[in-house]
């Protein structure tokens, strides 16, 4: 095995294909030849034992060839056993020999070697003296898998070896070997790296060693190399110049080492690793250098000794010259004898090195040591070390002594002693076979020879006090641990434990741990304490070596524990037990190691503490208290220096020195830091419940091939803290030389980070240009960019810095950005790729930091109290957290939490009731800044100031230090925005900035004092606020300075709606009416930042300002003044735009307000409410109006150029739209209709250009050719027509049963989906059929080409097939859909296929593997899908009338587009990706603008229809339940969402408050009733029993019971604190509603069986059935006055009033034009409100049946209505099908009823019905068309109608004579059994 050695195995092993190959390498390289002890000399028992050992090994190996060889060895050993029986006449083993033959036969037969098995079965017959045991018929039996020699114990989990050879164990007792420890072969630690190209740069010396090692590897190893290494080797073997270069490098490294004066440990480690691959000349040159260094060194250096030892260990045996070894040993012997004044550590290392040299001398058969000059002096000195007080040194000396005994001296008596044994000593020099691996059993025989050669068989060493039975007396007598140990170590004669440990070392090096375990359990010296010491020492080294895998290190700890516990196997030697405890203690200490080794050691110590009886427990205690103080863990592999020897040989600039300084600087401990690991979700659209540990996800990213990780989060979410923690963590794991360099870049502090930002940052850290060039071309970085938003970047930094481009920086990027800074297409700013090419989504990942969970908040509080020791205890904070809801919301943000905990003691006075405190974000900052300034002032007072500074401080204090400090912050914030555009870092140099605006803040002494006291930070000449939000806060205070709200506060409860004018939703307040009027008339501040800068997109600043509006009526008037003055003077329009943006965000609703002539260009009015507002002549240019409510608003004469509604007009067609598509250039748009027509539109104005006629029925598919010149259409008239797109003329006509066509990307072929199950390929020019693909078993529904044209995907029924067009074979069949697959699409990159199924799913498949990556669910049946041009989104159109936009990477729904009133049959992206077009069964094509993202999202609203709404009896909250599975709690006054209750797994259909208002009950489509705690949001109980969806739940008036109604036709009565107590049955169809009578004695229920039933609560009997409705009865309500009347809402469009006593219908109320879904009495009982699918709410007079008012054109159908509590009966709340919750005020006076909208918690749907658009200027034609379609008109029309006239029918029915509202026609279909919702019209294409 020339050229292969142990040390560079770790560098070759990564390139071997298998562990077996690696083990083969070790077996061949690590020792010399095996000792061949002749079997003929063995006794029958030993020969039989040897046979059983071979048989055991054969039964456990997986390699059949090795098994056959071992079986052969078994046969040979059995033959020798038979011969020994005849020779000795000992027949006691005959039966066991026969049994072993049978076991051998069984194994051979099992392995498939039947002929050999039959031979083995016949062998027992030929043995003489065998009893007839039935073995004669064995050959015909099935082979047995268990043998007498090896049986498994199912109870103990260990292998039991019986009848084992006597010399393997000193006892005939059974030895139990634990199977669970070291059960598998392990690959030794390796160093993995990439092999260099020819003449390429080598990263480090280890890579050089691996290259040279491969060149020297034998053929047996070369054949097992992995392909990359084999390729490199073949190329390099033919390149003599490259070989010469590599060898020259190795000699240069040695040359540099020799010239190095220090030769420190890192240099030694680097040069020593070259040993295995050096030439003999270079090796001897290096040996001589080490010899000289040790010889001339006055004080021995440990690393030189260790280096010499490793050099000898790693060398080739033929390189070790006997003379050199003798010379080295002589030097070491002299130094050893002269080191009495050296430290114990030096003595240990020197003795260890002597041992290694002696090991090498024994292995190379060195003889004839000079007895007098060397052998005897060294032997005597080692013997004297037995007296050392250091037990570790004693053991090391004993080991060296034993090694010395293996090296003979030159005295003749030695040979005489050897001749006396009758044979040559065969141990030590050869231990391992050179063929297939380590032969444990031959090795054992070698050990036996050692003992025979020195006095016969080894007996168990007997030492004084060898047991721990009297350990207490042992300690008391002074005969302690060391003395006990010394008596067990042999310094007198050769022992086999030395050789056994040598073998163990080799096995460990090779990873042969199973064999190692067997060795230590079976070796004859097992009970020798010296052997046990050595084993424990080696196990400790394994645990401490992080290169071994975790399981291996854990097994090593487990084996130490087994040796301590198992006295039967390992004896009771006190010193060994104490040695084990010492090792474990050292391993578990912080100085030992970290990770799995530390954890395992700690766990084992805890386990052993209670092990055994009291005596052994005493031993444990004594061992812990009086054991060794130090356990020297063996060093693993030292790091190389910087620069390394290799670098110095190549003159490479040194960077590691600077990196070390940078590492020290960046990892300095930060005081008072509380760190809670952050949680995140995969994207902004991901569900909040899908959270994961952020650090783990980032670490996974860093170990992947991805390049950019975008970290999003709100302001204060912890982004900057996390990036710093990440940097510190990466620096701590950094390894010099080749490690990846973490580089944290604060983007705002870098000038123009878009170009070469890495180099700029490195220059800041002091690196010079050669160093930067070196790192750019040869090192890898992890670039952590913090503050993308703060640097106000818009470009893609990854691309602009050309990362990972040829000649560029090799880097991964982690970049943070505030969420609110981004628009819809934010990924373009971060994804790797070029704008002219498609980005590679696989290289990009993002995560959004989640708010703290309640558990994280609790942990943070606990740590905060410990670290900061504030005035309040953790329990005080937790109490505040529970009692102040607003605080709980704030504290989910890490930065706001820090502020909260810091200032809370000041915000809640000790005497104040903590429950009445109301804390907002801006209040936290107010108090935080005040407190910070107070502390700053105290620090300044404690400083030793100059007299001048002290006078300035006194002046500032007298004037009000906090006031001055806040003024400084305000002025600095304004200056930063005005002078630097908001860039937060201010660089100030007195020399360069003298005379600039910066002098006012950084030069004057008074400002220097204020700067020191303010929350600012300084880094060199750079200054900035400690957090970006404080800069924004300072600017917010500059915009408006708040008053002392403690003196002037409006109670929140009062600030709601009931006539209280100080609501933030009213235009002015009562208290401040005069003040507000004056403010509106007085000219505002012209110097305000609102005047000179637009803040419309600065969301964090706007957040502060909107809270100021809600707190300070004066600020609201202040903003309104800007709006008012903008009517007269243009100079105020920027301020007015800012003001209106702030007011709308603050929730101010401008219903019926006079805004005539306001000038607010560029404002963001998204989701504002401006119903009936006067906006005549307003300047609304470039205003964002997304989701705005402008119903009946008057916009006459306004300027609206550039106004954005976020939507486009729809195209109205005469028939259902089945297909639509854009032309490739996006200039045309084709639509296929049910009547066979094809409409062609021009997209510039969306006018119809032409109609293609020819088809006679439904046009199912339309496609443009790639060049846009042709249109192909597929119809149910069984024709395919190809049209000229310019002229509209028919070019080709194909007749056949075809369902779909697709053009190839080149346009020369057309693929068709045929009903005969084939896919046809046609020539697009000639029309000839070129190919036919067969494989589908049913008709093909869809076909599509891959982007490169090499594949086709086709769908049929529930399968998709992917075809290779070159071979015409299918690649994959994808068949996970259940039902038909209507549509399939390739991603633009061609790596994925998406499919749309009738099973209500969209699936995304991997083209290469055929694996389904995502299943997208949430739709109804999906008809159509489309990829965006970039491939990052997928649009799907469904039978549920919606389009969903999915994130392709995460599989999450990003947006739902609603507008169609029937099934969406086709969906397509525009070529530029800005628009989506969808065609539907409602005869329209809807055009959606997906390029202009919302400036802000209404995230608090429901995302789907609201099914139920209720008002809290406490008057503070309104609850709503939705199809989005959530319950939301709204502030009754402001409409703000206070809490979201999550728990239902499907739609929530009904909710109800308990009478006390502290609990909510809910029922839903998940068939459960859930009880909730309103205050905490906790789900208290889940009531299960219904077998279908729960449609209604209601509390009894006493609050102790709940009734629920279900589609399972039953009503269940539940006890709140128990289960179901009664089930009411009688309805024949689903029960829609259940209500209690006011006295709780009755229940009423309504059903889909068209009846209403009255039930007796006590008996559960049905008392009465009310019949009158002609269809389903949807909702019912008891009158509040003693419950004598009942109102019902029906599917028959009527509301009916019933007399409970008689069961008769008193009155039928007609007027609704569609199903009536909800009905409810007012609290007084005089009015009745009803809601309908006709999108109206009607108010009826109960006494007369008159309709008093109608609220028309609501945004959706009205599922539920609730009146306010009794004291607030002047309002009601409505739940809308569009996801809105609306609150209306009802005013009743002599002129009638007036209804006014108070607030609308909307999901942002545009509502402009009745808006007057006369003479509007600049409005685009598309927007005009959109507004016209949405109901905008030329003249206003009243929204609320007061009804004064009624016509009475003859049957007493009340008729509405003025029914003139908008008629909404919607076809009705039978409602599904499960959901009970009203579906859209379903259209079956077939």
């Amino acid at each position: 095995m020339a050229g292969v050695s142990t040390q560079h195995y770790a560098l070759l092993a990564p390139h071997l294909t298998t562990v077996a190959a690696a083990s083969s390498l070790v077996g061949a390289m690590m020792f010399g030849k095996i000792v061949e002890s002749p079997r003929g000399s063995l006794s029958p028992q030993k020969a039989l034992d040897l046979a059983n050992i071979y048989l055991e090994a054969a039964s456990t190996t997986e390699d059949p060839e090795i098994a056959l060889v071992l079986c052969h060895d078994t046969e040979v050993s059995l033959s020798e056993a038979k011969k020994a029986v005849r020779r000795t006449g000992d027949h006691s083993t005959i039966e066991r020999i026969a049994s072993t033959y049978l076991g051998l036969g069984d194994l051979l037969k099992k392995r498939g070697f039947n002929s050999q098995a039959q031979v083995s079965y016949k062998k027992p017959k030929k043995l003489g003296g065998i009893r007839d045991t039935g073995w004669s018929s064995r050959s015909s039996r099935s082979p047995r898998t268990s043998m007498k020699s090896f049986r498994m114990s199912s109870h103990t989990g260990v292998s039991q070896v019986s009848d084992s050879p006597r010399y393997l164990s000193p006892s005939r007792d059974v030895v139990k070997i634990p199977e669970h420890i070291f059960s598998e072969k392990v690959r030794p630690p390796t160093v993995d790296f990439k092999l260099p190209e020819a003449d390429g740069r080598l990263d480090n010396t280890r890579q050089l060693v691996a290259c040279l090692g491969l060149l020297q590897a034998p053929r047996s190893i070369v054949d097992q190399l992995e392909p990359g290494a084999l390729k490199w080797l073949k190329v390099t073997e033919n390149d003599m110049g490259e070989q010469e270069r590599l060898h020259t490098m190795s000699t240069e490294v040695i040359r540099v080492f020799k010239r190095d004066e220090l030769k420190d440990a890192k240099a030694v480690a680097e040069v020593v690793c070259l040993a295995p691959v050096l030439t003999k000349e270079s090796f001897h040159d290096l040996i001589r250098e080490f010899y000289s260094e040790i010889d001339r060194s006055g004080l021995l250096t440990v690393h030189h000794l260790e280096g010499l030892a490793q050099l000898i260990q790693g060398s080739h045996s033929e390189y070790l010259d006997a003379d050199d070894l003798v010379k080295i040993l002589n030097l070491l012997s002299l130094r050893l004898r002269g080191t009495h004044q050296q430290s114990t550590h030096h003595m240990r290392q020197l003795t260890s090195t002597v041992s290694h040299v002696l090991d090498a001398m024994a292995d190379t058969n060195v003889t004839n040591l000079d007895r007098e000059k060397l052998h005897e002096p060294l032997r005597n000195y080692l013997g004297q070390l037995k007296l050392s007080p250091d037990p570790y040194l004693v053991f090391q000396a004993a080991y060296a002594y034993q090694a010395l005994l293996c090296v003979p001296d030159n005295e003749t008596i030695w040979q005489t002693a050897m001749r006396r044994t009758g044979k040559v000593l065969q141990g030590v020099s050869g231990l391992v076979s050179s063929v297939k691996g380590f032969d444990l059993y031959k090795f054992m025989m070698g050990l036996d020879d050692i003992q025979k050669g020195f006095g016969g068989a080894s007996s168990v060493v007997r030492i004084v006090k060898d047991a721990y039975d009297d350990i207490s007396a042992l300690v008391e007598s002074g005969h302690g641990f060391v003395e006990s140990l010394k008596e067990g170590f042999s310094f007198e004669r050769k022992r086999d434990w030395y050789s056994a440990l040598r073998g163990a070392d080799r096995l460990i090096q090779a990873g042969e741990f199973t064999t190692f375990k067997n060795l230590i359990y079976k070796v004859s010296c097992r009970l020798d304490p010296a052997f046990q010491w050595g084993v424990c020492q080696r196990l400790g080294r394994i645990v401490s070596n992080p290169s071994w895998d975790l399981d291996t290190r854990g097994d090593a700890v487990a084996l130490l524990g087994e040796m301590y516990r198992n006295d039967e196997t390992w004896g009771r030697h006190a010193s060994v037990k104490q040695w084990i405890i010492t090792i474990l203690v050292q391993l578990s200490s912080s100085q030992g190691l970290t990770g799995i080794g530390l954890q395992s050691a700690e766990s084992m110590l805890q386990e052993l503490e209670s092990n055994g009886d009291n005596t052994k427990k005493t031993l444990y205690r004594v061992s812990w208290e009086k054991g060794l103080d130090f356990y020297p863990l063996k060093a693993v592999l030292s790091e190389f220096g910087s620069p390394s020897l290799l670098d110095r040989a190549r003159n490479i600039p040194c960077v590691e020195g600077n990196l070390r300084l940078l590492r020290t600087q960046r990892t300095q401990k930060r005081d008072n830091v509380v760190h809670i690991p952050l949680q995140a979700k995969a994207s902004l659209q991901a569900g909040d419940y899908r959270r994961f540990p952020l650090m783990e996800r980032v670490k996974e990213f860093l170990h992947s091939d991805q390049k950019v990780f975008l970290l999003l989060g709100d302001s204060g979410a912890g982004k900057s803290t996390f990036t710093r923690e990440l940097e510190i963590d990466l620096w701590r794991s950094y390894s010099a030389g080749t490690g990846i360099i973490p580089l944290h870049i604060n983007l705002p502090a870098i000038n123009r980070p878009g170009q070469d930002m890495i180099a700029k940052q490195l220059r800041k850290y002091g690196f010079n240009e050669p160093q930067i060039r070196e790192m750019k071309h040869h090192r890898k970085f992890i670039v952590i960019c913090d503050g993308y938003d703060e640097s106000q970047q818009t470009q893609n930094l990854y691309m602009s810095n050309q990362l990972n481009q040829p000649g560029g920086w090799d880097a991964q990027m982690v970049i943070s950005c505030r969420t609110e800074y981004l628009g819809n297409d934010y990924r373009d700013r971060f994804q790797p790729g070029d704008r002219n090419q498609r980005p590679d989504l696989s290289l990009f990942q993002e995560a959004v930091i989640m708010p703290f969970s309640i558990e994280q908040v609790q942990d943070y509080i606990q740590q905060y109290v410990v670290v900061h020791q504030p005035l309040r205890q953790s329990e005080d904070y937790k109490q505040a957290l529970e009692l102040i809801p607003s605080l709980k919301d704030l504290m989910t943000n890490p930065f706001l939490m820090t502020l909260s905990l810091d200032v809370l003691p000041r915000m809640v006075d000790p005497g104040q009731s903590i429950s009445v405190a109301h804390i907002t974000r801006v209040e936290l900052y107010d108090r935080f800044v005040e407190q910070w300034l107070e502390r700053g002032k105290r620090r300044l007072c404690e400083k030793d100031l100059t007299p001048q500074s002290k006078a300035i401080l006194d002046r500032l204090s007298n004037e009000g230090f906090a006031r001055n400090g806040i003024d400084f912050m305000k002025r600095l914030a304004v200056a930063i925005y005005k002078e630097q555009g908001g860039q937060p870092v201010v660089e100030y140099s007195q020399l360069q900035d003298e005379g600039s605006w910066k002098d006012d803040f950084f030069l004057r002494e008074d400002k220097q004092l204020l700067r020191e006291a303010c929350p600012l930070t300084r880094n060199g000449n750079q200054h900035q606020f400690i957090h970006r939000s404080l800069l924004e806060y300072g600017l917010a205070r500059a915009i408006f300075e708040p008053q002392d709200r403690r003196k002037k506060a409006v109670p929140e409860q009062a600030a709601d709606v009931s006539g209280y004018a100080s609501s933030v939703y009213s235009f002015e307040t009562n208290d401040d009416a005069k003040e507000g009027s004056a403010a509106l008339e007085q000219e505002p501040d012209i110097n305000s930042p609102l005047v000179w800068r637009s803040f419309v997109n600065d969301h964090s600043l706007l957040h502060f300002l909107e809270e100021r509006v809600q707190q300070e009526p004066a600020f609201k008037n202040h903003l309104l003044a800007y709006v008012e003055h903008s009517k007269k003077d243009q100079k105020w329009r920027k301020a007015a735009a800012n003001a209106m943006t702030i007011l709308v965000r603050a929730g101010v609703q401008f219903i019926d307000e006079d805004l005539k002539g306001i000038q607010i260009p560029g404002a963001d009015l998204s989701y504002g409410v401006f119903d009936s507002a006067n906006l005549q002549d307003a300047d609304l240019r470039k205003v964002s109006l997304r989701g705005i409510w402008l119903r009946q608003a008057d916009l006459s004469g306004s300027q609206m150029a550039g106004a954005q509604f976020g939507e486009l007009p729809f195209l109205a067609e005469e028939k259902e739209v089945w297909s639509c598509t854009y032309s490739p250039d996006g200039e045309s748009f084709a639509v296929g209709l049910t009547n066979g027509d094809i409409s062609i539109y021009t997209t510039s104005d969306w006018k119809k250009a032409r109609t293609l006629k020819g088809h006679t029925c439904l046009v199912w598919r339309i496609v443009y050719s790639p060049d846009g010149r042709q249109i192909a259409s597929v119809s149910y008239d069984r024709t395919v027509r190809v049209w000229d797109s310019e002229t509209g003329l028919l070019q080709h006509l194909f007749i056949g049963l075809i369902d779909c066509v697709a053009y190839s990307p080149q346009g020369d072929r057309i693929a068709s989906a045929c009903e005969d199950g084939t896919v046809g390929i046609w020539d697009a020019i000639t029309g000839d059929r070129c190919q036919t693909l067969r494989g589908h078993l049913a008709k093909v529904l869809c076909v599509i080409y891959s982007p490169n044209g090499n594949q086709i995907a086709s769908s049929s029924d529930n399968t998709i097939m992917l075809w290779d067009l070159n071979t015409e074979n299918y690649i994959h069949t994808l068949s996970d859909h259940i039902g038909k697959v209507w549509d399939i699409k390739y991603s633009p990159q061609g790596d994925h296929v998406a499919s749309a199924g009738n099973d209500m799913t969209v699936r995304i498949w991997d083209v290469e593997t055929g694996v389904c990556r995502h299943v997208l669910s949430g739709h109804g049946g999906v008809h159509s899908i489309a990829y965006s041009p970039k491939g990052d989104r997928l649009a799907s159109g469904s039978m549920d009338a919606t389009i969903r936009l999915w994130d392709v990477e995460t599989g999450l729904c990003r947006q739902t587009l609603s507008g169609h009133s029937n099934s969406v049959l086709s969906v397509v992206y525009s070529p530029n990706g800005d628009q989506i077009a969808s065609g539907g069964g409602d005869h329209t094509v809807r055009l959606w603008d997906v390029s202009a993202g919302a400036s802000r999202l209404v995230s608090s609203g429901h995302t789907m229809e609201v099914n139920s709404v209720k008002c809290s009896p406490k008057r503070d909250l309104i609850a709503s339940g939705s199809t989005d599975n959530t319950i939301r709690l709204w502030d009754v006054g402001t409409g703000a969402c206070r809490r979201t209750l999550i728990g239902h797994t499907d739609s929530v259909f009904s909710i109800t408050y308990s009478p006390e208002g502290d609990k909510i009950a809910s029922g839903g489509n998940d068939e459960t009733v859930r009880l909730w705690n309103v205050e905490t949001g906790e789900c208290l109980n889940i009531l299960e029993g219904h077998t279908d969806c729960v449609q209604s739940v209601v509390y009894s008036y006493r609050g102790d019971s709940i009734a629920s109604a279900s589609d399972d036709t039953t009503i269940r009565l539940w006890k709140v604190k128990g289960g179901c107590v009664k089930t009411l049955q009688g309805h024949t169809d689903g029960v829609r509603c259940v209500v209690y009578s006011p006295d709780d004695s009755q229940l009423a229920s309504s059903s889909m069986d068209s009846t209403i039933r009255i039930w007796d609560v006590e008996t559960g009997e049905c008392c009465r059935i009310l019949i009158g409705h002609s269809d389903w009865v949807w909702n019912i309500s008891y009158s509040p006055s003693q419950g004598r009347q009942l109102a019902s809402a029906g599917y028959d469009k009527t509301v009916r009033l019933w007399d409970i006593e008689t069961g008769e219908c008193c009155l039928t109320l007609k007027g609704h034009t569609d199903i009536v879904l909800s009905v409810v009495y007012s609290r007084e009982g005089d009015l009745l409100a009803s809601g309908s699918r006709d999108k109206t709410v009607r108010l009826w007079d109960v006494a007369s049946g008159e309709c008093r008012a109608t609220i028309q054109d609501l945004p959706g159908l009205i599922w539920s209505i609730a009146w306010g509590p009794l004291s607030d009966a002047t309002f009601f709340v409505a739940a809308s099908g569009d996801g809105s919750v609306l609150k209306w005020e009802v005013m009743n006076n002599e002129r009638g009823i007036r209804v006014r909208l108070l607030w609308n918690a909307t999901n942002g749907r545009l509502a402009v019905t009745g808006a007057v658009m006369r003479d509007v200027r600049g409005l685009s034609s598309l927007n005009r068309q959109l507004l016209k379609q949405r109901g905008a008109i030329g003249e206003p029309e009243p929204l609320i109608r007061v009804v004064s006239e009624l016509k009475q029918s003859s049957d007493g029915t009340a008729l509405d004579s003025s029914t003139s509202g908008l008629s909404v026609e919607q076809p009705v279909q039978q409602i599904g059994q499960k959901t009970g919702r009203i579906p859209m019209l379903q259209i079956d294409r077939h």
Side-chain angles (χ1 to χ4, degrees), residues 1271-1278:
I1271 298 175
S1273 57
V1274 181
S1275 171
Y1276 271 23
D1277 62 8
R1278 298 191 174 185

Tab-separated table of all heavy atoms in Angstrom, residues 1271-1278:
chain	number	residue	atom	x	y	z
A	1271	ILE	N	-54.877	32.710	-35.585
A	1271	ILE	CA	-55.666	32.341	-34.417
A	1271	ILE	C	-56.266	30.973	-34.708
A	1271	ILE	O	-56.884	30.773	-35.758
A	1271	ILE	CB	-56.803	33.345	-34.146
A	1271	ILE	CG1	-56.233	34.739	-33.841
A	1271	ILE	CG2	-57.666	32.868	-32.988
A	1271	ILE	CD1	-57.310	35.802	-33.695
A	1272	ALA	N	-56.071	30.040	-33.786
A	1272	ALA	CA	-56.686	28.714	-33.914
A	1272	ALA	C	-57.788	28.606	-32.875
A	1272	ALA	O	-57.595	28.975	-31.716
A	1272	ALA	CB	-55.655	27.613	-33.729
A	1273	SER	N	-58.934	28.106	-33.272
A	1273	SER	CA	-60.075	27.988	-32.358
A	1273	SER	C	-60.651	26.583	-32.435
A	1273	SER	O	-60.679	25.953	-33.501
A	1273	SER	CB	-61.160	29.018	-32.713
A	1273	SER	OG	-61.591	28.858	-34.061
A	1274	VAL	N	-61.104	26.083	-31.299
A	1274	VAL	CA	-61.688	24.755	-31.186
A	1274	VAL	C	-63.129	24.918	-30.725
A	1274	VAL	O	-63.394	25.640	-29.751
A	1274	VAL	CB	-60.922	23.877	-30.192
A	1274	VAL	CG1	-61.526	22.485	-30.114
A	1274	VAL	CG2	-59.455	23.803	-30.565
A	1275	SER	N	-64.031	24.227	-31.395
A	1275	SER	CA	-65.448	24.368	-31.078
A	1275	SER	C	-66.090	23.015	-30.861
A	1275	SER	O	-65.584	21.975	-31.303
A	1275	SER	CB	-66.163	25.108	-32.215
A	1275	SER	OG	-67.566	25.075	-32.046
A	1276	TYR	N	-67.236	23.072	-30.181
A	1276	TYR	CA	-68.004	21.844	-30.009
A	1276	TYR	C	-68.739	21.439	-31.278
A	1276	TYR	O	-69.452	20.437	-31.284
A	1276	TYR	CB	-69.001	22.032	-28.855
A	1276	TYR	CG	-68.398	21.657	-27.518
A	1276	TYR	CD1	-67.012	21.662	-27.324
A	1276	TYR	CD2	-69.200	21.307	-26.434
A	1276	TYR	CE1	-66.457	21.329	-26.115
A	1276	TYR	CE2	-68.661	20.970	-25.206
A	1276	TYR	CZ	-67.282	20.987	-25.058
A	1276	TYR	OH	-66.736	20.659	-23.851
A	1277	ASP	N	-68.582	22.228	-32.351
A	1277	ASP	CA	-69.127	21.796	-33.627
A	1277	ASP	C	-68.191	20.827	-34.346
A	1277	ASP	O	-68.372	20.520	-35.507
A	1277	ASP	CB	-69.444	22.995	-34.531
A	1277	ASP	CG	-68.189	23.807	-34.882
A	1277	ASP	OD1	-67.066	23.359	-34.561
A	1277	ASP	OD2	-68.324	24.896	-35.469
A	1278	ARG	N	-67.170	20.343	-33.579
A	1278	ARG	CA	-66.214	19.341	-34.038
A	1278	ARG	C	-65.330	19.857	-35.172
A	1278	ARG	O	-64.927	19.099	-36.061
A	1278	ARG	CB	-66.932	18.062	-34.486
A	1278	ARG	CG	-67.704	17.409	-33.358
A	1278	ARG	CD	-68.183	16.039	-33.702
A	1278	ARG	NE	-68.785	15.394	-32.538
A	1278	ARG	CZ	-69.223	14.132	-32.514
A	1278	ARG	NH1	-69.127	13.398	-33.603
A	1278	ARG	NH2	-69.759	13.629	-31.421
